[in-house]
Amino acid sequence: ENCKTARHPTGEMVDDAEHVVIVGTCLAMCSVRELEDRQRFMEVNFHEAEPGTENASHPTGSPSLAVKRYARPAAGRELPLPSEIRPIAVLERATAHLIDLADSPFSGTYAFIADRLRA
């Protein structure tokens, strides 16, 4: 097989003419860039808001509660940066966090969990 399988702790991209390997370095459930964008466009979900701001017209996103949301892949889009990709341990933590929310009585919880698991 032509794909390089060595780990790249620096997050560097390796191209062996057939495959690109990107090692994620984002240790949060949602990258800083995405959370900042979502706050700017007022797209912070109730489940991701800093405690005390959930009911505000513009809730503040909590870095410890925010989870990467699904974004449809588009042709021509550049590869994501390693700082926007989460390693397996972070994905496991995010999944556990979302499962904990499953008992939430708030409307929209199911759609929120489905979207975030899809990402």
Side-chain angles (χ1 to χ4, degrees), residues 26-98:
C26 180
L27 299 180
M29 295 187 294
C30 180
S31 71
V32 171
R33 186 179 121 189
E34 180 179 334
L35 186 56
E36 288 173 351
D37 286 347
R38 289 179 34 212
Q39 285 186 163
R40 184 173 39 258
F41 296 111
M42 296 178 277
E43 296 174 343
V44 174
N45 185 281
F46 173 88
H47 295 292
E48 302 171 306
E50 282 285 355
T53 70
E54 307 94 331
N55 297 316
S57 59
H58 306 322
T60 302
S62 169
S64 64
L65 298 175
V67 181
K68 178 178 177 59
R69 72 175 173 188
Y70 176 73
R72 192 176 73 104
R77 181 184 287 174
E78 291 187 23
L79 290 173
L81 298 171
S83 62
E84 295 174 357
I85 297 175
R86 301 165 293 171
I88 294 295
V90 178
L91 295 173
E92 290 171 343
R93 190 174 78 234
T95 301
H97 170 69
L98 293 168

Side-chain angles (χ1 to χ4, degrees), residues 1-5 13-21:
E1 193 170 312
N2 292 333
C3 183
K4 292 183 180 181
T5 57
M13 295 187 292
V14 176
D15 186 353
D16 69 1
E18 288 186 39
H19 301 89
V20 175
V21 177

